[in-house]
Amino acid sequence: MNETSSELRGWTRRNFLKVAGVAGCAMLFPWLAYAAESDELNAKADELAATAASKQAEADEMKAKLDALQAQYNEALDRYNAANDAHDAAVAAMDAAQQRIDEASALIESTRNQLARRANSIYRQGSTSIIDVIFGSQNFDDFVTNWDSVERISQQDADLVQQNKDAKSEAEAAHAEYSRQEQIAADELANAKAAKEELETAQEALQKQYDEMNSDISAILAEAEQTRMSAEEAKKKEEEAAAAAQKALEEAQRRATASSSGSSTSYSSGSGSTSSTPGNVSGWVNPAPGKYITSGFGWRDLGDFHQGVDLSCSYEPVYAMAAGTCTWSGWFGTGGNAIVIDHGGGIVSWYLHNSSLCVQKGQQVSAGQQVSVSGNTGFSTGAHLHFQINVGCSNGINGTAVNPTTYFSW
């Protein structure tokens, strides 16, 4: 909220107070506090929104990484599925190779038996060649090879020999294919599985980070929304307080105008001296007669708004400005030892930084009665009296501060 957006009947906060001060009735309205609260809450909400936006940008970037990783995972899954299919095909090829091995082995066994019968038959017929073949062979394979040299072998015998050779070659080829397919299937499946598992792990970790970040963003946005609602509530209070402050100011101006048109009156102070009051309020007594102002009402060089006047009292008696009821007697934060008196009609007076207190909360006091001894308690740079008048008070303590020099002169 900027200053120009917080106007009261066309005046900015600072200008309104300055004009009212010139008129002798400047006030520090409660709406200033509400406005500051609203500004702070809106600023906090803006900051939270900026944080959420920053985190959202990070989350979007992470989501892009997740999408890219998902694409890689899909590719890896396709490779894995292809490798799995290849593995299944290799297993089928292995089964086919095994079947070929079995068939070739059976065929070899069959041809061996047939050749054995043929050799026996030739031998019985007295062929010397078969004897040479038999005794010239180291083993059955040599026997099959040497069989080709037998000139009297029949075409059937030649076919059996060739069939045996072919079956042996087929069995060897089937064994080799089986081993090759087995290795291909194992390698492809292992590589594809490793790639898929690696991507699954990376994806799971990134997804966890993404979910946590989204959760943080939701919490920040919820806090920002709650802060906005609080700012709106403070704004509403600001507007209500501004209206009440305007009404109280108008009433104070009316009273000041009415009193200035009457006769001047002198009042007896608690010390027996007299002091005229510009406001000429009947029955009011100067709380620190004969003193001077060390810090006035209104905006100060420090940048704060002083809600009362500081008077040059150094551990001296302080008097009630009018009859009323003590509504506070004790420590009041930065105000140190404090006395607050409710005078009725929404008017209260404050006496801060006292060294000692003379009345208790709930006690009835009269105008000019000593209520404290000034001092240097609380946030204070030296012994003095902070004197403050509030109007429009509904609880006997707070209200809206008005310039005390409207009613007293020092």
Side-chain angles (χ1 to χ4, degrees):
M1 182 190 300
N2 55 41
E3 188 174 62
T4 58
S5 67
S6 300
E7 296 181 348
L8 179 61
R9 299 192 176 184
W11 293 353
T12 64
R13 300 169 188 159
R14 184 180 291 272
N15 289 337
F16 182 85
L17 291 169
K18 286 182 178 179
V19 172
V22 173
C25 198
M27 307 168 71
L28 179 64
F29 297 116
W31 57 270
L32 284 173
Y34 291 129
E37 179 184 2
S38 178
D39 290 345
E40 290 174 0
L41 288 170
N42 275 319
K44 180 181 179 182
D46 291 340
E47 183 179 348
L48 288 168
T51 301
S54 176
K55 282 188 172 289
Q56 185 62 58
E58 294 180 27
D60 293 341
E61 183 178 347
M62 189 173 294
K63 181 62 166 62
K65 292 180 180 179
L66 264 175
D67 292 341
L69 196 61
Q70 182 64 48
Q72 295 177 32
Y73 175 77
N74 291 339
E75 293 175 1
L77 185 60
D78 290 341
R79 290 197 301 271
Y80 175 77
N81 291 334
N84 199 47
D85 292 341
H87 177 266
D88 292 342
V91 170
M94 288 163 57
D95 292 341
Q98 183 62 52
Q99 184 176 355
R100 287 164 54 194
I101 291 172
D102 294 342
E103 290 174 354
S105 297
L107 182 58
I108 290 172
E109 182 66 24
S110 174
T111 56
R112 281 184 175 182
N113 292 333
Q114 291 182 55
L115 287 172
R117 287 195 297 272
R118 287 294 300 147
N120 184 51
S121 175
I122 292 172
Y123 174 75
R124 287 184 179 183
Q125 291 175 8
S127 172
T128 59
S129 297
I130 191 61
I131 296 173
D132 295 335
V133 168
I134 293 173
F135 290 103
S137 301
Q138 297 296 323
N139 52 46
F140 187 78
D141 288 336
D142 286 345
F143 171 76
V144 173
T145 301
N146 293 335
W147 190 280
D148 287 330
S149 63
V150 180
E151 295 179 355
R152 295 181 66 251
I153 190 169
S154 67
Q155 183 62 41
Q156 181 181 6
D157 296 332
D159 290 341
L160 284 173
V161 170
Q162 186 61 45
Q163 191 176 30
N164 182 272
K165 290 181 178 179
D166 292 342
K168 180 182 178 183
S169 298
E170 174 66 10
E172 291 174 349
H175 272 293
E177 178 66 12
Y178 183 97
S179 298
R180 189 177 72 84
Q181 291 292 345
E182 183 179 35
Q183 188 61 45
I184 290 174
D187 291 345
E188 284 292 325
L189 190 61
N191 291 338
K193 182 177 181 182
K196 184 173 82 69
E197 290 177 350
E198 181 179 356
L199 284 169
E200 283 177 345
T201 300
Q203 187 181 37
E204 182 179 355
L206 196 59
Q207 184 67 49
K208 182 179 180 181
Q209 287 182 308
Y210 180 72
D211 293 341
E212 289 176 351
M213 184 165 289
N214 276 334
S215 178
D216 291 343
I217 291 171
S218 297
I220 292 172
L221 289 176
E223 184 180 358
E225 179 62 22
Q226 184 61 45
T227 304
R228 294 274 187 210
M229 293 174 62
S230 298
E232 292 175 2
E233 182 65 23
K235 173 64 177 174
K236 181 179 178 182
K237 291 180 179 179
E238 173 193 352
E239 293 171 350
E240 293 174 350
Q246 175 63 25
K247 182 177 179 181
L249 177 61
E250 292 172 352
E251 175 62 21
Q253 289 175 323
R254 184 191 65 77
R255 292 176 59 184
T257 300
S259 63
S260 64
S261 62
S263 59
S264 298
T265 306
S266 296
Y267 303 96
S268 173
S269 72
S271 61
S273 61
T274 60
S275 174
S276 62
T277 61
N280 197 28
V281 180
S282 177
W284 283 22
V285 174
N286 193 320
K291 302 302 175 181
Y292 58 89
I293 295 175
T294 59
S295 181
F297 178 88
W299 293 104
R300 298 193 289 191
D301 292 340
L302 296 175
D304 65 327
F305 194 94
H306 196 211
Q307 300 187 60
V309 293
D310 289 345
L311 300 171
S312 59
C313 297
S314 178
Y315 302 100
E316 300 175 63
V318 176
Y319 308 102
M321 78 168 195
T325 303
C326 178
T327 54
W328 187 276
S329 176
W331 193 261
F332 203 81
T334 58
N337 288 321
I339 293 291
V340 180
I341 300 174
D342 182 2
H343 304 289
I347 300 173
V348 296
S349 57
W350 290 15
Y351 313 81
L352 307 182
H353 306 301
N354 300 286
S355 61
S356 63
L357 307 176
C358 302
V359 295
Q360 301 296 320
K361 180 179 178 181
Q363 181 178 337
Q364 298 294 317
V365 298
S366 58
Q369 178 180 339
Q370 182 178 350
V371 294
S372 65
V373 176
S374 62
N376 189 31
T377 59
F379 186 73
S380 172
T381 58
H384 71 284
L385 169 66
H386 173 97
F387 175 61
Q388 180 176 328
I389 300 174
N390 288 0
V391 298
C393 176
S394 61
N395 63 359
I397 294 179
N398 297 320
T400 302
V402 297
N403 195 338
T405 60
T406 304
Y407 309 101
F408 299 99
S409 60
W410 286 276

